[in-house]
């Protein structure tokens, strides 16, 4: 049986989790523990902030590198700690792994990782991206069918990825619809047209 490198790395982490050498994280009480998540070219590891667990993580990375003849790029590797971890412990763990600490990841795969109370502020980038795209084309040079294609194919596609994962605030959707109407009817910041 031939396994991919990701499968081999996953097996090493699973073995350590099975042997309770890595705790992982629980989403809620009674749920199974998650020790790692893999995406296309990224890996997210979850461990308790102890020297023993991070020594084991460092050992797994080293073992994986020797077995696969691939090198993990530690300059692109980051660690995020919970607020309960003291500064001394953080520094010890960073020294063990040879990585850098970040307060939090703002975005992953183009999506926000943390959404606070103000959802409108988080998703405001959608409105900006749509308006830039609509402003980028010369609306005076487009016919009505050209504008329709621009709205339906280009502008409406921008929020679809984010909307497939998050519920966008209704007020922001109304503002996006207003942008489409302004583009369709030819209104701009100086001239308002009725529709």
């Amino acid at each position: 049986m031939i396994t991919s490198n990701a499968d081999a790395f996953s097996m090493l982490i699973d073995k350590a989790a099975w042997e309770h050498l890595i705790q992982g994280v629980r989403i809620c009480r009674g749920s199974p523990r998650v020790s790692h998540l893999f995406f296309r070219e990224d890996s997210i590891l979850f461990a308790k902030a102890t020297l023993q667990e991070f020594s084991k993580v460092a050992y797994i990375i080293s073992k994986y590198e020797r077995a696969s003849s691939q090198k993990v790029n530690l300059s692109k590797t980051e660690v995020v700690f919970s607020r309960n971890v003291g500064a001394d412990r953080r520094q010890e763990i960073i020294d063990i792994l040879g990585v850098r600490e970040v307060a939090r990841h703002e975005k992953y795969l183009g999506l926000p990782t943390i959404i606070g109370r103000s959802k409108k502020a988080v998703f405001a980038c959608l409105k900006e991206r749509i308006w830039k795209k609509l402003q980028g084309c010369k609306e005076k040079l487009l016919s009505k069918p050209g504008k329709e294609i621009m709205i339906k194919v280009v502008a409406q596609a921008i929020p679809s990825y984010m909307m497939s994962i998050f519920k966008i605030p209704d007020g922001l959707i109304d503002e996006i619809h207003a942008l489409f109407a302004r583009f369709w009817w030819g209104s701009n910041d100086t001239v308002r047209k009725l529709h």
Side-chain angles (χ1 to χ4, degrees):
M1 181 172 114
I2 299 173
T3 61
S4 70
N5 289 331
D7 290 338
F9 191 48
S10 180
M11 284 188 248
L12 290 170
I13 298 167
D14 280 339
K15 183 176 185 290
W18 181 258
E19 295 171 352
H20 301 289
L21 300 172
I22 296 175
Q23 295 293 314
V25 68
R26 279 195 171 131
I27 303 303
C28 63
R29 196 173 310 156
S31 68
R33 290 190 175 271
V34 177
S35 60
H36 61 286
L37 297 172
F38 287 161
F39 298 97
R40 184 180 168 107
E41 294 178 1
D42 295 324
S43 306
I44 300 175
L45 305 179
F46 301 98
K48 195 171 181 180
T50 65
L51 299 179
Q52 294 82 12
E53 285 203 27
F54 276 91
S55 295
K56 187 62 180 179
V57 169
Y59 172 76
I60 289 170
I61 291 171
S62 172
K63 188 172 184 178
Y64 168 75
E65 288 177 338
R66 288 190 313 272
S68 68
S69 299
Q70 290 185 336
K71 185 88 172 130
V72 174
N73 190 347
L74 295 177
S75 66
K76 291 184 179 178
T77 304
E78 301 169 337
V79 63
V80 178
F81 294 101
S82 79
R83 290 182 287 227
N84 301 331
V85 181
D88 293 339
R89 175 68 52 87
R90 290 176 188 219
Q91 191 56 52
E92 291 171 335
I93 290 170
I94 289 169
D95 292 341
I96 288 172
L97 292 177
V99 297
R100 63 188 170 101
E101 178 185 1
V102 293
R104 67 179 188 184
H105 300 285
E106 294 295 325
K107 287 192 173 188
Y108 183 73
L109 298 176
L111 298 172
T113 57
I114 297 174
I115 299 174
R117 291 180 186 249
S118 178
K119 292 174 180 57
K120 193 171 180 180
V122 171
F123 298 118
C125 63
L126 280 178
K127 183 179 166 186
E128 293 169 20
R129 284 179 56 209
I130 291 168
W131 190 239
K132 281 181 185 176
K133 188 61 81 172
L134 293 176
Q135 290 297 312
C137 69
K138 304 294 183 204
E139 65 180 75
K140 292 179 182 168
L141 300 176
L142 289 177
S143 63
K144 285 290 184 192
K147 286 184 178 183
E148 181 180 4
I149 290 171
M150 184 67 176
I151 290 171
K152 288 184 174 177
V153 175
V154 178
Q156 288 182 345
I158 292 172
S160 62
Y161 172 57
M162 195 173 286
M163 290 174 79
S164 69
I165 298 166
F166 299 110
K167 181 177 181 343
I168 307 298
D170 292 337
L172 183 61
I173 291 174
D174 292 341
E175 291 175 22
I176 290 171
H177 284 174
L179 291 179
F180 293 160
R182 283 174 59 190
F183 177 76
W184 176 257
W185 292 106
S187 299
N188 57 37
D189 292 333
T190 57
V191 178
R192 290 264 188 231
K193 292 189 179 180
L194 294 176
H195 57 85

